[in-house]
Amino acid sequence: MKNTTTRGILQRLSEGIVQGAEGYVFELERRGYIKAGPYVPEVVLDFPEAVKELHREFLRAGSEVMVALTYYAHREKLKDVGRENDLERMNRQAVRLANEIAREGDALVAGNICNTWAYDPGNARETSRLVQAMYEEQLTWAVEEGIDFVISETNDYLGEALIALEVIKQFGLPAMVTLASVQSNATRDGYDYVEACKMLEDAGADIVGLNCDRGPETMLPIVEKIRSTVNCYVAAQPVPYKTTALNPTFESLRTHAGEHAFPLALEPFLYNRFEMAAFARRARAIGVNYIGICCGGAPHYVRAMAEALGKTVPATKYSPAMELHPMLGTHVENKDQNFLANWKN
Ligand SMILES: [Zn+2]
């Protein structure tokens, strides 16, 4: 059980912005520990040190929340890779790893549940029971291992998000419920994203918003509308990719040759750290309370965002000192070659 006495998520949010960081599955896939396709976090059992290291990197970079790596660690997904028998072990271990690293700083631990791919609005009665049972078993284990609140994320259906919220509330924990935004303006069961967030607030969610799928350019306009509609806390965790009005999600990005860039050929579309720092400032200006990053996220972005929000974090010790660079430093007379003069804003 968790035995730290950190301030809870709601207290922290009442005092100011809370910074999160996600994209564990994406990053651990890039590092060779998770198989793209099924994207099941087997790494939790097979290479726990790799999970701990990424938690630690996000912690040092400024994330105040260690999100337990239970994304897709539910019954449906584990069946796909023949590891259904590891379900409980994987879920418990993920929360333990998050707790272990959270205690190296002053971070919170979030339990994590997500879309199940089992929910079917056409057969809502039966599939709702199935989804509810999956969430209940995951959160029972998470609560026993010790969590501070729960993030229910990448919800394609408002119906499924409401089930998640109900289960989180059964456990008496603060609930952050964020929607996927793959479609142009509404959930897969037809609720406008803004309206859906309002309904989640009305049903008791403490934090609502969007995560994944969209880069800052195409996520922030929706988040701004959510902010002006709900009274509760708002979260924005975009992917660090250059999505546009024409290709508003990273799933829709295409290479020059017209091929799908998602999910394995997205590098040409990545933001740089300065652009993610600018996102953090824009999100703060809009009034977003929980600012984070999703798939594609990495520690250098998290640190740049933290510093943009005025924080000094452990990894700040090694933040760039380009004035000391032999070719790009402040002594360079040609301003075009002065790196920081070009990027600092
Ligand atoms: Zn994501």
Side-chain angles (χ1 to χ4, degrees), residues 28-267:
L28 288 165
E29 190 280 331
R30 289 191 289 210
R31 295 184 184 189
Y33 295 109
I34 282 180
K35 186 179 279 296
Y39 286 114
V40 174
E42 299 170 83
V43 59
V44 165
L45 293 177
D46 299 349
F47 293 95
E49 290 305 319
V51 179
K52 279 162 58 173
E53 176 58 24
L54 185 54
H55 277 310
R56 184 176 293 121
E57 290 171 17
F58 280 153
L59 179 74
R60 292 185 67 256
S63 178
E64 294 162 71
V65 179
M66 297 292 103
V67 182
L69 184 46
T70 54
Y71 194 90
Y72 279 171
H74 54 61
R75 204 166 276 281
E76 282 293 304
K77 271 286 179 181
L78 286 176
K79 253 193 263 174
D80 291 349
V81 293
R83 291 193 77 157
E84 210 182 346
N85 292 337
D86 287 332
L87 184 68
E88 180 173 352
R89 230 158 47 89
M90 199 179 288
N91 274 272
R92 286 187 183 277
Q93 171 100 324
V95 179
R96 277 183 213 145
L97 299 177
N99 264 299
E100 192 179 327
I101 305 304
R103 280 195 289 270
E104 292 180 5
D106 182 32
L108 299 171
V109 174
N112 188 226
I113 51 180
C114 63
N115 57 315
T116 63
W117 300 105
Y119 182 75
D120 174 7
N123 184 14
R125 250 185 92 155
E126 199 172 308
T127 56
S128 293
R129 274 201 297 269
L130 197 68
V131 170
Q132 184 173 346
M134 284 198 278
Y135 289 154
E136 280 173 353
E137 69 182 353
Q138 278 193 284
L139 289 186
T140 297
W141 297 322
V143 166
E144 284 177 15
E145 297 298 334
I147 53 174
D148 296 290
F149 71 109
V150 180
I151 298 176
S152 156
E153 62 174 334
T154 55
N155 286 289
D156 290 308
Y157 297 100
L158 173 64
E160 193 170 39
L162 287 167
I163 298 167
L165 176 57
E166 194 187 321
V167 175
I168 299 167
K169 288 287 143 187
Q170 280 171 22
F171 287 94
L173 288 167
M176 171 163 149
V177 184
T178 53
L179 303 170
S181 50
V182 184
Q183 308 203 113
S184 58
N185 51 27
T187 61
R188 287 193 195 279
D189 43 359
Y191 295 89
D192 179 272
Y193 294 130
V194 180
E195 179 196 354
C197 283
K198 180 69 188 144
M199 290 170 77
L200 285 163
E201 178 187 26
D202 291 345
D206 301 285
I207 309 157
V208 299
L210 303 180
N211 82 287
C212 212
D213 302 303
R214 290 172 186 254
E217 274 312 303
T218 53
M219 179 181 280
L220 278 177
I222 304 174
V223 167
E224 197 166 6
K225 284 187 200 149
I226 294 169
R227 176 64 286 169
S228 63
T229 302
V230 303
N231 296 309
C232 64
Y233 296 118
V234 170
Q237 300 207 84
V239 295
Y241 295 102
K242 293 169 189 161
T243 56
T244 63
L246 204 60
N247 298 107
T249 65
F250 71 162
E251 289 93 342
S252 64
L253 291 171
R254 295 284 189 279
T255 64
H256 289 305
E259 298 143 335
H260 268 288
F262 176 84
L264 300 176
L266 285 162
E267 284 84 355

